[in-house]
Amino acid sequence: MAQRWIKATYYRGGTSKGVFFQKKDLPTSNQKELNDLFLKVIGSPDSNKRQLNGMGGGVSSVSKCVIISPSDRDDADVDYNFIQIAIDKPIAEWNNNCGNLSGAVGPYAIQEGIIKPKEGENKIRIYQVNTDKIIHSTFNVKDGKPSIEGDYSIAGVHGTGSKVRLDYLEPGGSGTGKLLPTGNVIDEIEIKDFGKINVSIIDAATPLVYLLAEDIGLKGTETPDELDAQVDKMNLIQKIRRKSAHIIGLSKSEDDAPMNTPRIGIVTSAKDYVSLDGTKINSKDQDITTRMFSMEKTHKAIMGTAGVNIGVAAAIEGTIPNNVKRKDSDPMELRAGNPSGIMTAGAVIESKDGKPFAKSAIFYRTFRPLMRGEVLV
């Protein structure tokens, strides 16, 4: 087979890394052909779960591809499509967004000459194709290039960088069309071989299922390795996720639920724990403690869209996150304790026709371009 080299850039956005492509550089627009291409680029499927034969790194947060192009929309500057690649399965899913990599989209568009910048603060309007939503990315530009160095730090990334503010406009219904897909803030569902359990299903930036850690015999402060080692608990969490997917219409049955949506997380009241870098995280410095799960594994921080979601969910009266969060917490600066430290997110919730309406959500990230060149397929 002839060698094919394709222009690409490798970026870190938030706590994720991904291979960025311009749409014009891809050899096809056929999704099935692109799936085959992206799987080869990332190195999936890999039964060893290391992706040594590609650009992936053996965990879901670095098993990702992005397509960027100028937008034809009046309300956007660029179109952004996200593809999550499974590690040990030949699966490429286009059904969700990566909030972490969203932090790199605006800087990438300027770095690669798609958008002409101005000196100082720039706002890039992003059309997130997967979720049919608009995101505003605000960051600084110096000497015609995005500022990379800065003093802002995020949990899970060593050091500091230039801050990117992400404003998700009307993030509700990104996957199901409804902020509350079932119409309820809490639903009681029946899980085979377990029984009944309460969940809150919130669709803001991404559909996400919340459950109380204590309801399945967990503390909510466990490390990702400790959780992944509890196979029975992990299987139960996935059963709840797949059941919820079917309930909200994301799959025809529990068995064919996508791997990447809905996401799922456990929450508990703010508790002391030790982060992955050995830092002692005090309960008084948090408003809520959470552990999130992505592609059937415990995430080492919080997925970006899940960070947006928890800010919204905790601001909606009566949800499980709202019930357990610190009562004096600031809805614009919810501090969510996670395995890597503390992440801050905010939301503006209004009432519309007697129902909660997410007007906007705010999330902060950093970014860094890591490599520019060509990938071999």
Side-chain angles (χ1 to χ4, degrees):
M1 183 179 292
Q3 293 184 5
R4 173 178 284 167
W5 293 86
I6 302 171
K7 290 182 180 179
T9 305
Y10 199 45
Y11 259 78
R12 176 186 66 80
T15 57
S16 292
K17 292 193 290 189
V19 184
F20 280 58
F21 298 90
Q22 288 197 51
K23 186 176 182 180
K24 67 180 180 66
D25 294 327
L26 292 167
T28 179
S29 60
N30 180 279
Q31 187 168 315
K32 183 180 184 304
E33 293 175 0
L34 286 175
N35 286 347
D36 292 340
L37 186 153
F38 294 147
L39 286 163
K40 290 176 182 176
V41 166
I42 296 298
S44 294
D46 182 355
S47 58
N48 296 307
K49 300 182 180 180
R50 298 179 68 189
Q51 296 174 316
L52 290 177
N53 210 32
M55 298 292 290
V59 292
S60 65
S61 58
V62 298
S63 187
K64 304 182 176 192
C65 289
V66 168
I67 304 172
I68 304 293
S69 62
S71 183
D72 293 329
R73 295 172 60 102
D74 293 335
D75 58 353
D77 302 307
V78 294
D79 291 347
Y80 153 47
N81 223 321
F82 167 68
I83 303 92
Q84 178 72 57
I85 309 298
I87 295 169
D88 58 345
K89 299 178 179 68
I91 295 174
E93 293 190 339
W94 299 58
N95 53 22
N96 221 322
N97 176 32
C98 175
N100 276 298
L101 289 185
S102 298
V105 171
Y108 171 86
I110 286 179
Q111 188 82 41
E112 298 301 313
I114 300 172
I115 302 295
K116 186 177 180 180
K118 63 180 182 179
E119 284 296 291
E121 186 175 273
N122 282 242
K123 179 186 287 185
I124 304 298
R125 302 169 305 162
I126 301 166
Y127 174 57
Q128 212 299 305
V129 179
N130 310 74
T131 57
D132 191 29
K133 295 293 181 179
I134 297 294
I135 305 169
H136 288 174
S137 174
T138 305
F139 53 93
N140 286 323
V141 168
K142 184 177 181 181
D143 299 328
K145 298 295 182 183
S147 299
I148 299 170
E149 304 298 328
D151 59 4
Y152 189 72
S153 63
I154 61 174
V157 178
H158 178 75
T160 61
S162 182
K163 180 164 65 174
V164 179
R165 171 173 168 155
L166 297 171
D167 288 78
Y168 287 72
L169 308 186
E170 299 185 7
S174 295
T176 65
K178 297 179 181 179
L179 177 62
L180 300 175
T182 67
N184 305 315
V185 290
I186 292 181
D187 289 282
E188 185 181 72
I189 63 175
E190 182 87 24
I191 302 299
K192 185 179 179 181
D193 300 325
F194 178 79
K196 295 180 179 179
I197 189 168
N198 286 336
V199 298
S200 287
I201 308 176
I202 311 298
D203 184 359
T206 186
L208 204 153
V209 183
Y210 293 95
L211 54 145
L212 191 64
E214 289 81 358
D215 282 352
I216 59 170
L218 294 171
K219 296 179 293 183
T221 58
E222 293 87 351
T223 68
D225 286 347
E226 287 171 342
L227 288 169
D228 288 346
Q230 297 190 56
V231 177
D232 58 335
K233 302 293 187 188
M234 294 295 287
N235 287 339
L236 173 58
I237 288 167
Q238 289 305 312
K239 280 185 179 180
I240 296 168
R241 190 189 71 81
R242 290 192 293 269
K243 176 83 170 187
S244 299
H246 178 52
I247 288 172
I248 62 177
L250 292 179
S251 63
K252 294 180 180 179
S253 69
E254 297 174 38
D255 293 335
D256 66 358
M259 291 181 68
N260 196 35
T261 188
R263 270 74 180 274
I264 189 165
I266 60 173
V267 293
T268 187
S269 57
K271 294 179 180 177
D272 296 342
Y273 66 94
V274 178
S275 68
L276 293 178
D277 67 359
T279 302
K280 293 182 179 179
I281 308 298
N282 197 300
S283 61
K284 67 180 178 60
D285 296 323
Q286 310 165 63
D287 298 310
I288 191 170
T289 302
T290 184
R291 299 292 183 263
M292 297 284 184
F293 305 88
S294 175
M295 302 298 281
E296 302 180 352
K297 294 290 183 182
T298 310
H299 203 278
K300 295 185 185 301
I302 294 182
M303 306 82 79
T305 49
V308 175
N309 192 298
I310 197 170
V312 172
I316 298 174
E317 193 72 28
T319 67
I320 291 173
N322 177 265
N323 290 341
V324 300
K325 73 169 185 176
R326 193 178 300 278
K327 296 310 173 188
D328 60 353
S329 63
D330 184 346
M332 293 301 294
E333 293 188 1
L334 181 83
R335 302 167 300 169
N338 63 81
S340 290
I342 298 173
M343 180 224 68
T344 302
V348 177
I349 304 297
E350 299 178 346
S351 179
K352 193 172 185 179
D353 299 325
K355 299 178 181 179
F357 171 73
K359 184 176 181 181
S360 64
I362 302 168
F363 193 49
Y364 297 94
R365 297 286 83 183
T366 61
F367 73 97
R368 183 170 179 259
L370 304 174
M371 181 280 299
R372 176 197 279 161
E374 297 176 320
V375 289
L376 173 65
V377 178

